[in-house]
């Protein structure tokens, strides 16, 4: 027994009341913001060609400055600004073992800036009679992702469409960004002591990975291609009492793979592809939790996903190509859950999608 519910007839009758509703423009304004971002960069790069190798080395420096303006729950203007620099050296080496096999290695630093919505000072504060302060706010103090990357791969290029590769990689990441609910936090000058929905930077993170790729084609135009990636990752967090907890890296599936079967000969180019990924973490602590009380049950996960797509192209002549695409042939839904699949959070059905078109090149 779930309790009393409105009748179906009453629910449908509510539709007639929509015309009498007014738009709350103040609430719409409270979600508006403006962010100006200026990036100045300078870089130098050189390519060195050796007898059996190519070396590309360079360094880049970027200076970023942002200014944001938004509103609070009462329509008052809020503002924030931030500036930071980033130095990014890189070295890529490609060594030719023979005409068909090459070894590739790289090390470089990368930067990923926070999204504008994450840093805009959009503010909603609730002041309780007992001095409790709660609400939601963008976090202008967010730092950008910074990553030091290492790649190593061995690649084989055979005749026609034959290809195989194995690669390993490592990413050491600082300041990964996570959406969450903080029990206590001071953001943009506001001291919250009873919960605030916002974004935070994690401490140190890492991602280790293994990639396998292969492709083979036959003379009759048929071919098959597949790749799979395995990752192991971790992000570290500290909260009020200096305790530490760790989670898998957000938005990263431990397993990802796809396989394609196709035909490419004459005017026809047809490919059927299957794409798979395992589950991944989406959100730390739900609205009833806080960052100091994170567990599997109040962490939001995205369920494993498998989708099949079809692409078919027919080249009518040198200028005209007809194209047909069918996405999500298996009509796979996507769903999110808290802790286990029995605690549903969100369920999306996208359906199948078909596209027919022509491409003409002048």
């Amino acid at each position: 027994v779930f309790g009393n519910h409105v009748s179906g007839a009453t629910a449908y009758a509510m539709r007639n009341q929509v015309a009498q509703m007014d738009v709350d423009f103040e609430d719409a304004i409270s979600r508006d913001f403006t962010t100006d971002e200026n990036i100045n960069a300078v870089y130098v790069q050189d390519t060195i060609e050796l007898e059996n190798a190519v070396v590309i080395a360079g360094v880049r420096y970027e200076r970023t400055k942002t200014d944001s303006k938004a509103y609070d729950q009462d329509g008052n203007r809020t503002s924030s600004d931030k500036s930071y620099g980033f130095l990014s050296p890189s070295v890529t080496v490609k060594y030719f073992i023979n005409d068909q096999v090459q070894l590739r290695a790289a090390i470089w630093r990368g930067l990923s800036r926070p999204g504008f919505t994450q840093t805009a000072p959009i503010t909603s504060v609730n002041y309780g009679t007992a001095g409790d302060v709660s609400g939601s706010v963008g976090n202008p103090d967010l730092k950008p992702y910074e990553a030091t990357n290492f790649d190593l791969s061995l690649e084989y290029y055979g005749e026609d469409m034959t290809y195989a590769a194995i690669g390993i990689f490592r990413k050491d990441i600082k300041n990964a960004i996570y959406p969450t609910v903080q029990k206590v936090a001071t953001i943009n000058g506001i001291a919250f002591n009873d919960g605030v929905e916002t974004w935070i930077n994690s401490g140190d993170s890492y991602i280790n990975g293994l990639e396998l790729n292969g492709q083979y084609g036959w003379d009759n135009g048929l071919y098959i291609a597949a790749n799979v990636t395995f990752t192991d990752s971790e992000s570290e967090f500290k909260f009020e009492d200096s305790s530490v907890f760790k989670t898998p890296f957000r938005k990263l599936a431990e397993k990802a793979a796809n396989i394609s079967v196709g035909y490419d000969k004459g005017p026809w180019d047809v490919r059927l592809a299957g794409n798979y990924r395992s589950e991944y973490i989406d959100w730390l602590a739900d609205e009833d939790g806080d960052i100091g009380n994170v567990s599997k049950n109040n962490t939001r996960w995205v369920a494993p996903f498998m989708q099949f797509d079809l692409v078919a192209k027919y080249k009518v002549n040198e200028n005209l190509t007809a194209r047909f695409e069918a996405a999500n042939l298996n009509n796979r839904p996507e769903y999110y859950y808290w802790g286990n699949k029995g605690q549903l959070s969100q369920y999306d059905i996208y359906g199948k999608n078909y596209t027919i078109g022509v491409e003409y090149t002048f």
Side-chain angles (χ1 to χ4, degrees):
V1 178
F2 293 100
N4 296 325
H5 292 267
V6 67
S7 68
T10 304
Y12 275 98
M14 291 176 64
R15 295 182 301 177
N16 298 326
Q17 308 302 317
V18 174
Q20 304 177 31
M21 296 180 180
D22 294 325
V23 177
D24 187 348
F25 287 102
E26 291 186 0
D27 181 64
I29 290 175
S30 72
R31 294 191 296 268
D32 289 346
F33 67 90
T34 300
T35 296
D36 292 323
E37 181 180 72
N38 293 291
I39 303 169
N40 295 307
V42 59
Y43 74 94
V44 60
Q45 176 181 299
D46 192 22
T47 300
I48 304 171
E49 296 186 4
L50 306 174
E51 184 178 355
N52 293 319
V54 175
V55 179
I56 303 173
V59 62
R60 180 183 182 93
Y61 178 78
E62 294 184 353
R63 187 71 185 175
T64 303
K65 187 179 188 320
T66 59
D67 291 288
S68 295
K69 293 179 174 58
Y71 300 89
D72 65 11
Q73 71 283 350
D74 298 320
N76 300 316
R77 293 298 296 263
T78 60
S79 63
S80 65
D81 61 83
K82 189 177 182 66
S83 61
Y84 53 88
F86 183 72
L87 185 66
S88 174
S90 67
V91 178
T92 300
V93 179
K94 185 162 59 175
Y95 179 75
F96 301 96
I97 298 174
N98 55 45
D99 291 341
Q100 295 181 309
V101 181
Q102 66 182 36
L103 186 68
R104 190 191 306 264
I107 178 172
W108 80 99
R109 296 195 71 216
L111 175 75
S112 180
R113 297 175 180 83
F116 291 151
T117 302
Q118 298 170 357
T119 57
I122 304 171
T123 306
S124 177
V125 187
N126 302 314
Y127 296 97
T129 56
D132 297 333
V133 182
S134 61
S136 63
V137 63
N139 190 351
D141 297 324
L142 281 177
K143 300 175 183 178
Y145 284 73
E146 295 183 10
T148 302
N149 308 280
F150 307 88
D151 283 331
L152 179 65
S153 65
L154 183 65
E155 303 168 356
Y156 170 79
Y157 296 87
E159 296 180 357
D160 299 323
M161 300 182 69
T162 304
Y163 169 77
I166 180 172
I168 57 175
F169 59 87
R170 165 85 179 193
K171 298 179 182 292
D172 291 315
I173 301 171
K174 294 182 179 180
N175 310 323
I177 297 172
Y178 284 70
T180 189
V181 176
Q182 291 264 268
K183 184 68 174 178
V184 177
T186 299
I187 302 175
N188 206 28
I190 302 173
F192 295 90
N193 59 17
D194 192 37
V196 55
E197 183 178 331
T198 188
W199 289 266
I200 62 169
N201 290 116
S202 72
D204 293 333
S205 302
Y206 72 80
I207 301 172
N208 294 325
L210 170 68
E211 295 179 305
L212 302 172
N213 294 274
Q215 180 175 294
Y216 187 80
W218 289 270
D219 292 338
N220 60 5
L222 292 174
Y223 69 89
I224 184 171
N227 67 70
V228 59
T229 302
F230 302 95
T231 58
D232 174 60
S233 65
E234 184 177 272
S235 288
E236 182 179 278
F237 299 85
K238 294 182 179 179
F239 45 98
E240 295 91 52
D241 58 2
S242 297
S243 297
V244 174
F245 68 88
K246 300 176 181 180
T247 71
F249 194 82
R250 179 176 178 253
K251 296 287 189 180
L252 178 67
E254 291 186 353
K255 303 179 187 68
N258 68 66
I259 183 169
S260 299
V261 179
Y263 176 82
D264 187 3
K265 192 171 185 178
W268 286 102
D269 182 0
V270 182
R271 183 185 65 189
L272 176 66
N275 301 284
Y276 167 81
R277 59 150 179 80
S278 60
E279 68 178 6
Y280 62 81
I281 192 172
D282 182 58
W283 182 281
L284 290 181
D286 65 13
E287 60 272 16
D288 297 322
D290 62 76
I291 197 65
N293 188 32
V294 171
S295 68
K296 183 177 181 180
N297 283 334
N298 72 358
T299 296
R300 192 166 102 141
W301 299 81
V302 183
F305 187 83
M306 180 74 179
Q307 177 175 315
F308 292 95
D309 303 320
L310 175 68
V311 177
K313 294 188 289 185
Y314 181 79
K315 192 171 185 178
V316 180
N317 53 46
E318 290 297 323
N319 304 102
L320 182 64
T321 301
R323 184 185 185 94
F324 170 77
E325 296 182 15
N328 198 20
L329 285 171
N330 54 328
N331 199 22
R332 173 73 180 192
E334 187 165 45
Y335 54 95
Y336 306 73
Y337 56 88
W338 298 105
N340 65 72
K341 297 178 182 178
Q343 300 184 102
L344 183 66
S345 171
Q346 181 177 334
Y347 191 89
D348 297 326
I349 300 177
Y350 299 102
K352 304 173 185 178
N353 186 283
Y354 302 98
T355 303
I356 298 176
V358 294
E359 299 174 4
Y360 188 86
T361 303
F362 293 94

